[in-house]
Amino acid sequence: RRIFHAHNCQSCHQIYGFGGFLGPDLTNAAPRLSRERLDSILTQGAGQMPAFYLAPEEIDSIHAYLRALDRTGVGVARRARQGDPQEIFEALESLA
């Protein structure tokens, strides 16, 4: 977390929906990012993300931070049900 904030990652990325809007929310990014992919993104950049010149230990720490965040639960609201909106509405009304 310290390295994430020291490099001002929160100015572009969100955690639990808080932060910048240029990059993706990283709360649940760990399953999509291998250590090798993270190394590539952080050292070479990707799209609008600039390259950062982090030591391998710092990248390991960022990777560990992202894995820890992912274990805390879902950070971005997701649609709970698929289906006909009227059926979902009626099911919710029956709970009231």
Side-chain angles (χ1 to χ4, degrees):
R1 181 175 174 268
R2 181 186 55 79
I3 295 168
F4 185 86
H5 287 284
H7 290 278
N8 205 23
C9 301
Q10 71 279 4
S11 68
C12 293
H13 293 281
Q14 295 181 11
I15 300 293
Y16 301 118
F18 294 98
F21 292 97
L22 184 60
D25 187 304
L26 296 178
T27 309
N28 300 114
R32 301 185 308 271
L33 286 174
S34 68
R35 170 60 175 80
E36 293 76 23
R37 177 68 180 132
L38 186 61
D39 183 45
S40 173
I41 291 169
L42 290 174
T43 59
Q44 298 174 22
Q48 293 182 337
M49 180 158 165
F52 287 88
Y53 302 100
L54 302 178
E57 300 81 25
E58 292 176 306
I59 296 171
D60 287 340
S61 294
I62 293 283
H63 193 230
Y65 177 56
L66 294 177
R67 288 192 325 266
L69 283 172
D70 186 56
R71 288 191 301 269
T72 66
V74 177
V76 178
R78 295 192 174 103
R79 187 174 178 172
R81 293 188 185 200
Q82 298 287 337
D84 178 54
Q86 184 62 37
E87 289 175 14
I88 295 170
F89 178 76
E90 289 170 6
L92 291 173
E93 272 197 331
S94 70
L95 298 174

